[in-house]
Amino acid sequence: MNQKKEVVHLDAVVVGAGFSGLYMLYRLREAGFSTRVFEAADGVGGVWHKNRYPGARCDNESIDYSFTFSEELFKEWNWSEKFSKQSEILEYLNYVADKFDLRRDIQLNTRIISAHYNEEDNRWTIQTNEGSTLSAKYFISGVGCLSTANVPKFKGLDRFEGKWYHTGNWPKEQVSLKGKRVGVIGTGSTGIQVIPAIAPEVDHLTVFQRTAQYSVPSRNHAYDPEYVRQVKDNFNEFKRKRRYSFGGFPNDIEARPSALEDTPEERDHLYEAAWQKGGVSSFFLETYQDLTANEDANETLSVFIRNKIKNIVHDPETAEKLSPTYYYGTKRPIQDTNYYETYNRDNVSLVDVKANPIMEITPKGIRTTDGEYELDIIIFATGYDAMTGSLFKIDIRGKDNVTLKEKWENGEQTKTYLGIATSGFPNMFMITGPESPSVLSNVPTSIEQHVEWITDCIEYLRDNDIEILEAKEDAEEAWSKHCREVAEATLFTKTDSWYTGANVPGKPRRFLIYLGGVGPYREKCSEIAFKGYEGFSLQSTMEKA
Ligand code: NA7
C-alpha cells in the first residue's frame, strides 16, 4: 500500500544550530511562531562543534564574542581566558541551549537537503536527509559563512595509507599524533593554531605553505576577575557600544587617522606597543585607520611584521619563506601563540608549495615537484568554501523553480538585499548572508542584529496580514552595487583570499562582505524596516486571494 507521508506544518524552519540558529529559535519562539531547527551534526554549536582540532581557539576576545540578548546570561557566564578554547565556546553554546530550553525544537543528525518555494500556497517545502517533509511559511538559513570544508582535490588522496583529517571536521575521539610524521597543508588562521599546538608531540612536522602569512602574537591570558566585573557592571554600555561600533566590538577606536602622518620612529613605537599588547585588534584599534585603505600605509606595518619574522626565525632561508608579500589585513588577519618560533624546532620543516606545488598524494605521503615527503598523517587546514558554499549544498529553489546557485553563480554576480534576502526567493531569510558585514565583524553582534531584524519583520508580516515579502530587484541591484563600491575603495579586493572566493578553484571571484561598518549597517536596516520594509515587495493575504 502506498502510504502518504505526513507533512509537518510550521511557521519557520531554521537551518543550523550554531550561534545563529540558537538565537533565531529563541526569538521566534518568544514571538509565538512554531519553529524547528535542523542540524546535521550530533550536537549544537555549529562550527564550534566541528572545529575540535588541536589549538582551536577564538581570536575575538571571549566577552565580546558572546550573546548580549540576555543580561542574565551575560552576567552568569564566566569566560576563563581572553581568547577562549573551542571546548569552552562549545560549553557556552550548550549552556545557552539548556538555559533557554531550546533543545526540544532542535532536531540533530538531520540535514536539510532541499527547500522549494511553492507559488500556489506561498510556502516552502523542505526535505530532510532522513525522509521527512516539512511545510513552512519562512525558510531561514543559519548555516554560517565558514562551515563547508574545502578539501583540495589532490590526485591520489584515496590511495593514502595513513590517516587524513580536515580541521573543520575534526573527529570527536582523540587523534594520536604522538611519534607520528605529520604534514599540515595550509597556513591560514587554523594552520597557524594547529602547527605550534602539535609540534611538541609529533615525531616530525612538515608544513606545506602556499602563501606566507602575517601573524601577530595573541598574548592570551586568564581573565582578571576585576576586569570582568567592570564589564558586567557596565552591561548596557557594553551592549550599546558593540551594536553601534564599526566592527561590532565594544572598544573605542583609538587608532590615529593615517600611518603616513607619523615619522617612522613614531610608527614603530605604536606597532611595537600593539605587538607587545598582543591580538589583531590592538593593531586595528590602536595603530592607524588607513592600514587596509592605503597601500603605502599598509606597507609600513607589513615591513614591521616581516622584520619581526626575521628576528624570531633563526634560519634565514626559512624566515625568507615565511615572509609574506600581500597587503597586511587583506587576508584574514591572524594571531598566534609561538607560530614563527615553532620553525626553530628541529622536528619542524617548511615546504614552499607555491614554488614547488603539490603534485599528488602518494600511498606514503605527499609528492611536490621537488620530491616525496613520507607521512603518517595529513592535516588539511585548507579552509572553507566560504560565504555561499553551505547555502549551495542545499537545493534551494525560489520562484520559477530557479535554484539559488543558478541565480548567484550563473548570473553575473551574487546579489542580495542587505545580505538578508534575495529577489526571487520570497519569505526566505539569511542570517549573516553574503553582502552583510558577517565575517568582517564580530560575528555574534551581527547575528544578534540579523535575528532581531528578521523576527521584527516576520512579526510585522503577521500583524499586517502580509503573505509574501520579497526583495525587489532594483533594491537588490543598488545594495549589491553599494557593497562593491565600498569594497573597491579598500585593498581587500586586491588580494586572493577566501574573502574573494579565490581559495576554491573554479569559484567566481567576488567580494561578498559589506565593509560599511556594523553600526551604519544596523541603522540602514532599521530605517528600511521603519519605512515599511522599503525595497521589499509586500503582498497581503487579501491581494493574493
Ligand atoms: P583559510 O584562511 O582559507 O586558510 C587555508 C590555508 O590553506 C591557506 O594557507 C591556503 O593557502 C591553504 N590552501 C588552500 N588550498 C590549498 C591547496 N590546494 N594547496 C596548498 N595550500 C592550500 O582557512 P582557515 O581554516 O585557516 O581559516 C578560515 C577561517 O576560519 C578563519 O579565517 C577564521 O575566520 C575562522 P592560500 O592562502 O590560499 O594560498
Side-chain angles (χ1 to χ4, degrees):
M1 201 172 70
N2 202 357
Q3 257 193 340
K4 204 159 180 271
K5 274 209 161 172
E6 194 195 337
V7 176
V8 179
H9 287 256
L10 294 159
D11 291 324
V13 161
V14 179
V15 195
F19 269 92
S20 298
L22 292 176
Y23 185 37
M24 194 75 245
L25 170 59
Y26 171 76
R27 287 302 294 243
L28 286 178
R29 200 199 260 170
E30 290 286 292
F33 295 102
S34 61
T35 306
R36 196 176 291 175
V37 172
F38 291 85
E39 168 58 60
D42 63 358
V44 302
V47 290
W48 297 108
H49 181 81
K50 300 200 304 178
N51 277 263
R52 296 162 184 266
Y53 61 84
R57 272 183 197 280
C58 186
D59 47 17
N60 288 353
E61 183 168 346
S62 311
I63 294 184
D64 304 351
Y65 195 78
S66 313
F67 282 124
T68 57
F69 70 85
S70 160
E71 185 170 356
E72 189 179 279
L73 167 69
F74 189 82
K75 291 193 168 165
E76 71 194 9
W77 181 264
N78 289 309
W79 295 105
S80 58
E81 292 173 288
K82 184 172 181 186
F83 299 111
S84 292
K85 282 201 290 219
Q86 168 270 336
S87 56
E88 196 167 329
I89 303 171
L90 186 59
E91 214 180 299
Y92 171 73
L93 291 170
N94 275 283
Y95 181 82
V96 170
D98 290 330
K99 178 175 171 70
F100 299 102
D101 187 24
L102 300 176
R103 293 187 199 274
R104 64 186 155 91
D105 288 316
I106 300 174
Q107 193 168 321
L108 299 174
N109 298 305
T110 312
R111 184 176 288 283
I112 300 288
I113 52 171
S114 67
H116 295 178
Y117 182 70
N118 307 307
E119 290 175 65
E120 305 78 54
D121 62 357
N122 309 312
R123 292 183 70 87
W124 286 87
T125 301
I126 294 145
Q127 303 275 357
T128 70
N129 63 338
E130 36 81 89
S132 315
T133 304
L134 303 118
S135 167
K137 186 135 192 64
Y138 304 106
F139 176 63
I140 304 174
S141 158
V143 294
C145 302
L146 292 157
S147 46
T148 294
N150 168 42
V151 180
K153 294 184 175 53
F154 292 124
K155 190 175 124 202
L157 183 56
D158 52 337
R159 289 181 300 139
F160 181 55
E161 288 167 1
K163 293 213 161 90
W164 68 269
Y165 307 92
H166 186 281
T167 48
N169 289 316
W170 198 261
K172 270 188 174 170
E173 53 282 1
Q174 185 76 22
V175 175
S176 171
L177 301 171
K178 198 167 167 41
K180 301 275 180 6
R181 297 163 303 171
V182 178
V184 172
I185 306 177
T187 51
S189 316
T190 303
I192 283 179
Q193 289 184 337
V194 172
I195 290 160
I198 65 173
E201 192 186 342
V202 303
D203 171 54
H204 191 87
L205 175 61
T206 311
V207 176
F208 296 86
Q209 170 195 271
R210 188 164 69 181
T211 306
Q213 297 275 11
Y214 301 97
S215 182
V216 302
S218 72
R219 309 213 191 275
N220 190 22
H221 54 76
Y223 262 136
D224 171 5
E226 179 50 27
Y227 167 75
V228 174
R229 193 190 58 74
Q230 277 178 21
V231 175
K232 289 186 178 179
D233 284 352
N234 291 295
F235 170 75
N236 288 329
E237 180 61 1
F238 172 93
K239 181 169 174 169
R240 190 194 60 75
K241 277 180 144 176
R242 208 175 78 146
R243 287 159 84 97
Y244 292 97
S245 64
F246 190 82
F249 295 95
N251 320 70
D252 294 319
I253 295 181
E254 288 163 18
R256 296 159 65 81
S258 173
L260 304 177
E261 286 169 9
D262 277 355
T263 64
E265 293 73 29
E266 285 166 335
R267 278 196 300 261
D268 273 2
H269 180 74
L270 271 194
Y271 291 151
E272 186 61 33
W275 183 270
Q276 292 310 330
K277 185 169 175 190
V280 162
S281 61
S282 303
F283 283 87
F284 286 103
L285 296 170
E286 294 168 30
T287 65
Y288 300 102
Q289 291 178 31
D290 60 348
L291 294 175
T292 50
N294 180 298
E295 295 175 21
D296 296 329
N298 189 287
E299 183 62 8
T300 62
L301 177 54
S302 302
V303 168
F304 175 86
I305 301 178
R306 281 183 219 127
N307 284 336
K308 286 286 183 193
I309 299 170
K310 263 190 218 133
N311 288 335
I312 297 169
V313 179
H314 301 161
D315 172 41
E317 206 184 309
T318 306
E320 188 54 37
K321 278 193 216 165
L322 286 167
S323 278
T325 51
Y326 64 91
Y327 295 116
Y328 176 78
T330 55
K331 280 164 107 66
R332 171 66 153 70
I334 303 176
Q335 62 187 43
D336 68 272
T337 302
N338 296 329
Y339 174 63
Y340 297 118
E341 290 81 350
T342 300
Y343 292 93
N344 293 332
R345 296 179 64 94
D346 291 337
N347 69 335
V348 177
S349 48
L350 179 66
V351 177
D352 177 353
V353 295
K354 194 162 262 168
N356 299 295
I358 297 175
M359 303 303 288
E360 61 174 340
I361 311 287
T362 66
K364 299 270 171 251
I366 293 178
R367 186 189 307 284
T368 69
T369 50
D370 72 342
E372 184 176 10
Y373 297 84
E374 293 201 356
L375 302 166
D376 304 307
I377 292 178
I378 302 174
I379 298 176
F380 288 88
T382 42
Y384 299 89
D385 183 353
M387 316 308 295
T388 52
S390 300
L391 285 163
F392 290 163
K393 275 212 306 214
I394 306 170
D395 175 21
I396 301 175
R397 289 170 193 259
K399 282 163 49 180
D400 302 322
N401 208 29
V402 172
T403 69
L404 193 64
K405 193 168 161 69
E406 278 163 359
K407 181 186 167 185
W408 284 355
E409 290 239 304
N410 302 347
E412 81 225 41
Q413 171 74 32
T414 298
K415 285 182 192 142
T416 72
Y417 188 35
L418 303 171
I420 298 178
T422 190
S423 69
F425 294 79
N427 296 351
M428 171 178 143
F429 299 94
M430 294 168 289
I431 306 168
T432 65
E435 301 185 329
S436 74
S438 71
V439 289
L440 276 165
S441 71
N442 182 28
V443 178
T445 312
S446 289
I447 287 173
E448 286 192 336
Q449 185 255 333
H450 266 186
V451 166
E452 288 158 18
W453 192 95
I454 293 167
T455 311
D456 290 348
C457 175
I458 294 179
E459 284 191 282
Y460 177 88
L461 302 183
R462 177 182 61 191
D463 296 347
N464 292 281
D465 291 325
I466 293 163
E467 184 80 358
I468 309 166
L469 169 125
E470 183 187 348
K472 289 183 183 163
E473 277 180 31
D474 58 346
E476 167 172 289
E477 186 66 48
W479 178 255
S480 212
K481 185 164 171 271
H482 172 56
C483 273
R484 289 198 299 276
E485 282 169 359
V486 175
E488 269 149 28
T490 72
L491 301 175
F492 280 96
T493 52
K494 299 187 172 31
T495 299
D496 280 349
S497 69
W498 60 258
Y499 290 152
T500 61
N503 64 324
V504 176
K507 188 168 175 169
R509 207 171 185 285
R510 290 161 187 171
F511 189 84
L512 297 176
I513 308 161
Y514 181 56
L515 290 177
V518 165
Y521 172 79
R522 171 186 293 274
E523 281 171 10
K524 181 75 191 158
C525 291
S526 302
E527 183 191 315
I528 284 166
F530 183 73
K531 290 184 178 165
Y533 295 91
E534 188 182 52
F536 287 94
S537 72
L538 308 176
Q539 213 179 319
S540 71
T541 322
M542 301 273 280
E543 282 171 74
K544 177 74 189 162

